[in-house]
Amino acid sequence: MSTETITTVDYGKIVGTTASMMKQDGALSTGELADLRRISPDQPYTPALWRILMMQNLDNSPSWISQEQWERRWATLFMGMAHCVSLHNYSISVGEALAEAGWSELRFVQLMRAKDETLETHLRRVAQFLASKNQEANWTDVAKLLFFQSGDAGERIRLSISRDYYSRIYSKEQESN
């Protein structure tokens, strides 16, 4: 990842704006939210995806990533957020949220090792699981996990999510003793 990644893309702002669009009546229709929830590795593109990308000036990829990868990663993020409408919370890391909701350690390790289409598949499960538990999470963490899949930045993101997950697991064990 180049420094262009960090300076030109504010993932937190994009996630917050998208979460607001999904919650706000009329910003996205129920049909558009349903289209976003149906995004899959086989069918990552929907009119709702293009609408969100255009509204936030994300329709052209930066030089460090191909246009296809750029769009697929946003599609995966927005799919997860559409499953978890009203469950975005900047103060609850995705690692902490998964631990709190009871996501198994085996699945967590698989998620942290996954990349590309495998990561997309795991994130669908994460979104459905968090939605089923009504568990809030910081979707900015998921955005960073998607966009920083390799290199030092990717390792830092995975380590941060893992620290939060295992810290919450340890705290829950202490609380139950």
Side-chain angles (χ1 to χ4, degrees):
M1 286 296 139
S2 71
T3 54
E4 176 186 4
T5 305
I6 296 165
T7 59
T8 61
V9 180
D10 184 344
Y11 297 99
K13 181 179 178 187
I14 294 165
V15 165
T17 301
T18 304
S20 293
M21 288 172 58
M22 289 181 177
K23 281 195 292 193
Q24 187 179 23
D25 287 337
L28 290 174
S29 70
T30 56
E32 288 172 317
L33 287 171
D35 281 346
L36 290 170
R37 284 190 294 271
R38 285 190 292 270
I39 285 174
S40 69
D42 296 335
Q43 295 184 332
Y45 309 112
T46 70
L49 167 68
W50 304 123
R51 182 168 179 220
I52 294 171
L53 291 175
M54 300 287 176
M55 290 174 74
Q56 298 195 59
N57 296 316
L58 297 170
D59 49 316
N60 292 311
S61 68
S63 60
W64 56 269
I65 189 171
S66 74
Q67 186 70 29
E68 181 183 357
Q69 286 179 318
W70 176 254
E71 292 165 349
R72 286 183 69 96
R73 290 177 185 180
W74 286 120
T76 300
L77 176 69
F78 299 154
M79 172 274 302
M81 292 180 70
H83 278 284
C84 296
V85 172
S86 300
L87 295 175
H88 170 64
N89 185 332
Y90 285 116
S91 65
I92 303 173
S93 75
V94 75
E96 181 182 354
L98 288 169
E100 188 62 36
W103 186 257
S104 77
E105 184 175 1
L106 175 62
R107 284 187 173 198
F108 182 78
V109 169
Q110 291 171 342
L111 172 67
M112 290 298 100
R113 290 181 179 160
K115 293 185 178 163
D116 300 318
E117 282 190 27
T118 305
L119 180 59
E120 294 173 15
T121 301
H122 282 283
L123 288 174
R124 170 177 293 286
R125 291 183 194 131
V126 164
Q128 291 168 334
F129 180 77
L130 292 175
S132 75
K133 301 292 184 175
N134 203 32
Q135 176 63 55
E136 294 179 333
N138 184 351
W139 283 88
T140 306
D141 294 343
V142 176
K144 290 177 181 177
L145 183 62
L146 280 162
F147 284 95
F148 298 90
Q149 291 190 27
S150 58
D152 291 342
E155 278 304 305
R156 283 192 301 274
I157 297 300
R158 283 177 164 74
L159 284 172
S160 175
I161 293 169
S162 295
R163 276 187 208 100
D164 293 341
Y165 176 84
Y166 287 106
S167 177
R168 185 63 193 130
I169 292 290
Y170 178 76
S171 295
K172 285 176 70 170
E173 287 173 359
Q174 296 305 306
E175 290 167 9
S176 68
N177 288 337

